[in-house]
Amino acid sequence: SAVISQKPSRDICQRGTSLTIQCQVDSQVTMMFWYRQQPGQSLTLIATANQGSEATYESGFVIDKFPISRPNLTFSTLTVSNMSPEDSSIYLCSVGGTGPRPNYGYTFGSGTRLTVV
Amino acid sequence: AQKVTQAQTEISVVEKEDVTLDCVYETRDTTYYLFWYKQPPSGELVFLIRRNSFDEQNEISGRYSWNFQKSTSSFNFTITASQVVDSAVYFCALSGRNTPLVFGKGTRLSVIA
């Protein structure tokens, strides 16, 4: 399965600023996914990022707040814009799918733990 | 719409006890995939297993076993002879063919020595 390098691993940011999170994959992948995990909660999908097209956002998430870039098949960034304390969460990228190998699944980056003060 | 329900929010067991984590799912897809992930206190998500909708064979991997029953839309996870290192949050998740995962709320398992 793919290996994902996600940066930064954590950050403390001032409200009103923006943070860009990067995910680098060791192989070419068609789809990348971005999730948010609020404290003590489950994972919620923010958007799906395909190379060469605009990201598809889930209900409750908008491009102005969470712009995503996907310049090639191994890299993507998520920006959290104009941050407020409510944006304090773990953000994770994911790749993978449901290929024919029986235990092929979705791999996750190690996460970015964001605290907004 | 797809939905995953993990009714057990927190479970606490004494080491060496067996524990079963429940997962019930809803989907209209005829082909779908079920997953279990472990999230230890360090925060990373560890893939445990994937089960396809067309394969109801149960699986055992060491102390872990999974019981998939389409008739009850359940995909339960049992840890036999639990250990302190099993303490984590466990997520059940569902996807269609190459679609994003939908996660349950997770079950926090605490294994006490």
Side-chain angles (χ1 to χ4, degrees), chain B residues 11 19 24 27 50-51 55 85 88:
Chain B
I11 300 176
V19 58
V24 174
T27 181
R50 169 189 123 180
R51 193 37 101 222
D55 178 7
V85 293

Side-chain angles (χ1 to χ4, degrees), chain B residues 56-68:
Chain B
E56 283 193 75
Q57 186 175 6
N58 292 325
E59 177 139 347
I60 298 174
S61 176
R63 297 184 296 106
Y64 295 171
S65 62
W66 291 270
N67 183 358
F68 177 30

Side-chain angles (χ1 to χ4, degrees), chain B residues 2-69:
Chain B
Q2 297 179 326
K3 183 179 179 181
V4 176
T5 301
Q6 295 179 256
Q8 305 150 308
T9 305
E10 293 190 33
I11 300 176
S12 184
V13 299
V14 176
E15 203 170 23
K16 298 184 182 178
E17 286 185 354
D18 299 347
V19 58
T20 295
L21 309 182
D22 297 333
C23 174
V24 174
Y25 63 92
E26 297 176 30
T27 181
R28 294 181 182 174
D29 294 342
T30 54
T31 299
Y32 54 89
Y33 304 83
L34 295 161
F35 301 80
W36 277 96
Y37 283 85
K38 174 181 180 180
Q39 188 175 44
S42 54
E44 76 273 22
L45 273 170
V46 179
F47 168 75
L48 296 178
I49 191 171
R50 169 189 123 180
R51 193 37 101 222
N52 307 333
S53 57
F54 43 86
D55 178 7
E56 283 193 75
Q57 186 175 6
N58 292 325
E59 177 139 347
I60 298 174
S61 176
R63 297 184 296 106
Y64 295 171
S65 62
W66 291 270
N67 183 358
F68 177 30
Q69 292 195 341

Side-chain angles (χ1 to χ4, degrees), chain B residues 70-84:
Chain B
K70 289 181 75 171
S71 60
T72 57
S73 298
S74 65
F75 186 43
N76 296 337
F77 173 29
T78 297
I79 302 174
T80 303
S82 59
Q83 300 176 1
V84 172

Side-chain angles (χ1 to χ4, degrees), chain A residues 35-38 41-45 90 92 108, chain B residues 39 45 91 101-105:
Chain A
Y35 290 85
R36 180 177 74 180
Q37 187 177 22
Q38 295 176 299
Q41 303 297 313
S42 184
L43 285 81
T44 300
L45 181 69
I90 299 173
L92 301 102
F108 287 80
Chain B
Q39 188 175 44
L45 273 170
F91 291 99
L101 289 169
V102 173
F103 285 85
K105 292 186 181 299

Side-chain angles (χ1 to χ4, degrees), chain A residues 7-60:
Chain A
K7 298 178 182 179
S9 59
R10 60 178 63 232
D11 208 341
I12 300 174
C13 299
Q14 297 292 322
R15 68 178 67 200
T17 62
S18 299
L19 175 72
T20 296
I21 302 166
Q22 300 180 2
C23 275
Q24 178 74 52
V25 190
D26 68 345
S27 58
Q28 293 185 336
V29 294
T30 304
M31 292 183 295
M32 293 183 72
F33 308 101
W34 287 96
Y35 290 85
R36 180 177 74 180
Q37 187 177 22
Q38 295 176 299
Q41 303 297 313
S42 184
L43 285 81
T44 300
L45 181 69
I46 298 172
T48 300
N50 293 331
Q51 193 267 337
S53 62
E54 282 203 8
T56 302
Y57 288 83
E58 297 299 301
S59 176

